[in-house]
């Protein structure tokens, strides 16, 4: 098995001429402990959201609270009334469309079929006249005497 051994280079550890010995640890300050202590306070709130919202009630004067509550109630009432009116309107429109529109559409389709049948009948009559000219009243023409 192969074993690895670290060999340090002495050139990197040696202080050069004219250079002051510099220690990296001089600039180091321990900020981790401050951050970690702040994180502990943020992770465990002493107040809940409900407590904070209830505390807002004490900050707003009673007259302003009454105005806000009245505005909210009015908005809620208008929204509810609008939704109810819209729902009833949609019900009337949809049932009227079903009761009036479907029979009208069926009658329109039936009328188009009748028009197509009449057109087809006329085309047949024109085709018969082209094939046998004068065959449409053939019995009457043969009974006439020649002049």
């Amino acid at each position: 098995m192969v074993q690895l051994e670290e060999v340090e280079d002495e050139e990197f550890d040696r202080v050069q001429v004219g250079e002051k010995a510099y220690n990296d640890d001089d600039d180091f300050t321990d900020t981790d402990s401050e951050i970690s202590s702040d994180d502990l306070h943020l992770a465990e709130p002493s107040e809940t959201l409900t407590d904070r919202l209830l505390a807002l009630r004490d900050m707003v004067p009673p007259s302003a609270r009454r105005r806000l509550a009245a505005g909210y109630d009015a908005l809620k009432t208008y929204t509810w009334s609008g939704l109810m009116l819209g729902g009833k309107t949609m019900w009337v429109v949809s049932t009227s469309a079903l009761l009036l529109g479907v029979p009208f559409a069926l009658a329109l389709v039936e009328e188009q079929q009748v028009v197509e049948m009449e057109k087809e009948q006329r085309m047949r009559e024109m085709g018969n006249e082209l094939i046998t000219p004068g065959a449409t009243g053939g019995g009457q023409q043969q009974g006439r005497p020649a002049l």
Side-chain angles (χ1 to χ4, degrees), residues 1-122:
M1 176 179 285
V2 178
Q3 290 185 350
L4 297 175
E5 183 178 327
E6 182 180 356
V7 178
E8 293 185 17
D9 192 2
E10 295 172 2
E11 282 293 320
F12 289 115
D13 292 336
R14 190 176 57 151
V15 178
Q16 293 183 0
V17 178
E19 182 178 307
K20 178 179 150 186
Y22 181 74
N23 189 0
D24 288 339
D25 294 336
D26 291 341
D27 292 337
F28 179 73
T29 57
D30 185 19
T31 58
D32 292 337
S33 62
E34 295 172 10
I35 294 173
S36 62
S37 65
D38 289 340
D39 289 341
L40 290 176
H41 292 296
L42 294 176
E44 299 174 11
S46 60
E47 292 180 326
T48 63
L49 182 62
T50 308
D51 293 337
R52 289 183 179 209
L53 290 176
L54 290 175
L56 286 177
R57 184 173 39 176
D58 296 334
M59 293 173 59
V60 179
S63 60
R65 273 190 279 162
R66 272 187 246 117
R67 278 192 315 241
L68 287 172
Y72 173 75
D73 288 339
L75 179 66
K76 184 174 71 169
T77 303
Y78 288 138
T79 303
W80 181 256
S81 299
L83 289 175
M84 292 299 289
L85 180 65
K88 290 177 183 179
T89 302
M90 290 301 292
W91 172 256
V92 168
V93 168
S94 62
T95 54
S96 298
L98 287 174
L99 291 175
L100 299 175
V102 172
F104 177 73
L106 291 174
L108 187 64
V109 168
E110 185 178 343
E111 182 66 28
Q112 287 177 346
Q113 287 176 346
V114 168
V115 168
E116 287 293 323
M117 288 175 58
E118 289 174 355
K119 189 176 180 182
E120 186 178 329
Q121 184 66 31
R122 274 189 261 124

Side-chain angles (χ1 to χ4, degrees), residues 135-147:
T136 54
Q140 294 174 355
Q141 289 178 356
Q142 291 175 359
R144 289 187 192 165
L147 290 176

